[in-house]
Amino acid sequence: MSKPIPLVDLQTQSRAIKEEVLSRIGDVIDGARYILGKEVVEFEQQFAAYCGAEHCVGMANGTEALHMALRALDIGSGDEVITAGNSFAATAFAIAYAGADAVFVDVDPQDFNIDVDLIEQAITERTKAIIPVHLYGQGARMKEIREIADRHGLRIVEDAAQAHGAEVDGQRCGSLGDIGCFSFYPGKNLGAFGDGGAAVTNDPELAEKLRLLRNYGQKQKNRHDLLGFNCRLDTVQACVLLAKMQHIERWTEQRRQVARWYHEALAECDLLLPEERPNARHVYHLFVARCKQRDALIASLANENIFCGIHYPNPLCTAQPFREAATVPFGLPICSELGDEIVSLPMYPEKTQSDVHRVAEAVGKHFSKQERTSELV
Ligand SMILES: Cc1ncc(COP(=O)(O)O)c(C=O)c1O
């Protein structure tokens, strides 16, 4: 059996930065600066610059970054927040943690992001914000979303958990709304050795409030100016992220190269491949294709030691906590269709062209076997 091709490979990158991380963590141990150490501040400065934003506030994870962003904007009980119907559960959970109601809107079948033509119809007098999710690493249509938000006096919180370095019209995702939220979960394009997240913003007052919210509302010890939380980015994780920051652009370009190889190798297959919009820089956190009999394809590839994923099989409103009371003004037909058809092919920066060819061969073999079977029936 040929060597496995995993959906993601975390080990190669970890090995590449291990020495630097160990040395940085050694300094943290020696200085005993485990909470909000100088490495957190250094990382926040670097990541803000990377996003083209003025401020970055490190958080415990991406979910809390979203939750704190909503609280910083005073969004809570009685308010509605419009978001896409097909994200990871955390997007909707964060809205619920803030006490607000999530309103799920269907997505565009081409780029999988929130359908901007549906947003305006979903706005009510209770709507306070829109959370576009830059799904799989491609930015949502931010110009249109900004125009809608401005027309209705709404705030924008970007869920950029999958979109480090992605761009729309030449501007980095995360810096396009009021607050941009990132996850550094290990499998993300910029991943820690555990949980981590950040919120970025150009607004100094929001940045200050986010800093208070993540640290018990404290500007100084034992002075609690508001009901804050404990959701700080660990100093040890900041060490990992600082080491990775030096490589993120190269790794992103490698992901984009892998995507180009997939496009060349799979051009003739019965798969609908993800397209990069003309004004967008897709960072291919995931390479998600569409295929009618998706489960059979995944099984065939697994037989060849090639492992795929599904992101995400069910619309968010079907998750147990939302099922009873989800607000879905126009249904989610595209989300449901995508849930049955999408397949995430192996994607990571170190993936070689010959690995891509192996995946393409296995996909080709699967479809020709299917053709032969249907001829026999
Ligand atoms: C789109 C999206 N939003 C939010 C999150 C939540 O991030 P975290 O796992 O760091 O809490 C994730 C990742 O897990 C995500 O993919």
Side-chain angles (χ1 to χ4, degrees), residues 319-332:
Q320 214 287 326
F322 299 106
R323 211 177 287 159
E324 304 282 294
T327 311
V328 189
F330 319 107
L332 301 170

Side-chain angles (χ1 to χ4, degrees), residues 24-271:
R24 282 184 181 275
I25 292 177
D27 290 346
V28 173
I29 294 171
D30 291 342
R33 299 179 312 268
Y34 308 124
I35 302 293
L36 295 179
K38 71 173 173 44
E39 289 76 5
V40 173
V41 178
E42 197 181 334
F43 170 71
E44 288 174 339
Q45 283 163 354
Q46 284 193 20
F47 195 66
Y50 181 74
C51 295
E54 292 292 321
H55 310 275
C56 168
V57 182
M59 298 280 178
N61 53 61
T63 312
E64 285 304 325
L66 287 164
H67 175 201
M68 295 305 112
L70 292 170
R71 286 191 178 262
L73 295 167
D74 292 321
I75 292 168
S77 177
D79 298 333
E80 286 181 349
V81 178
I82 294 174
T83 194
N86 64 339
S87 183
F88 178 61
T91 314
F93 278 25
I95 298 171
Y97 296 160
D101 296 322
V103 175
F104 300 105
V105 168
D106 214 357
V107 298
D108 180 313
Q110 249 78 50
D111 69 7
F112 310 113
N113 279 326
I114 193 161
D115 183 341
V116 290
D117 293 332
L118 296 176
I119 295 177
E120 208 145 21
Q121 305 162 51
I123 294 173
T124 71
E125 69 274 12
R126 291 212 283 135
T127 310
K128 288 289 174 332
I130 307 170
I131 303 189
V133 183
H134 306 307
L135 203 67
Y136 311 145
Q138 169 139 260
R141 290 174 193 268
M142 292 306 294
K143 187 168 159 279
E144 290 89 332
I145 293 171
R146 179 86 268 170
E147 283 165 7
I148 296 169
D150 287 348
R151 261 200 304 280
H152 296 270
L154 306 179
R155 310 307 292 261
I156 300 175
V157 175
E158 297 172 72
D159 184 338
Q162 305 188 357
H164 315 72
E167 291 174 14
V168 178
D169 297 326
Q171 249 182 292
R172 288 267 155 102
C173 288
S175 68
L176 297 158
D178 293 287
I179 302 177
C181 298
F182 290 86
S183 164
F184 306 126
Y185 180 78
K188 295 292 193 255
N189 287 24
L190 181 66
F193 286 176
D195 280 307
V200 304
T201 181
N202 287 317
D203 181 328
E205 279 172 31
L206 285 178
E208 181 61 18
K209 196 157 173 202
L210 287 163
R211 284 187 203 289
L212 290 182
L213 279 164
R214 73 160 174 196
N215 190 25
Y216 296 110
Q218 295 180 108
K219 197 184 274 176
Q220 61 197 62
K221 209 160 177 61
N222 295 324
R223 206 188 97 187
H224 304 274
D225 292 338
L226 50 77
L227 182 68
F229 296 78
N230 176 1
C231 53
R232 304 165 293 225
L233 176 67
D234 277 346
T235 308
V236 163
Q237 298 305 344
C239 292
V240 178
L241 296 167
L242 276 169
K244 286 197 173 183
M245 279 302 285
Q246 296 168 41
H247 306 279
I248 179 74
E249 268 310 282
R250 181 169 50 83
W251 288 335
T252 301
E253 281 309 318
Q254 285 173 228
R255 285 177 184 274
R256 290 172 54 74
Q257 178 60 62
V258 172
R260 284 193 287 274
W261 287 333
Y262 267 134
H263 272 276
E264 283 159 24
L266 294 168
E268 305 299 322
C269 285
D270 260 350
L271 281 179

Side-chain angles (χ1 to χ4, degrees), residues 106-107 109 112 272 290-292 294 312-313 315 332-342:
D106 214 357
V107 298
F112 310 113
L272 258 177
R290 290 180 67 175
C291 151
K292 284 284 173 216
R294 182 266 320 273
Y312 300 89
L332 301 170
I334 305 294
C335 287
S336 303
E337 198 178 304
L338 291 173
D340 293 338
E341 295 185 4
I342 46 175

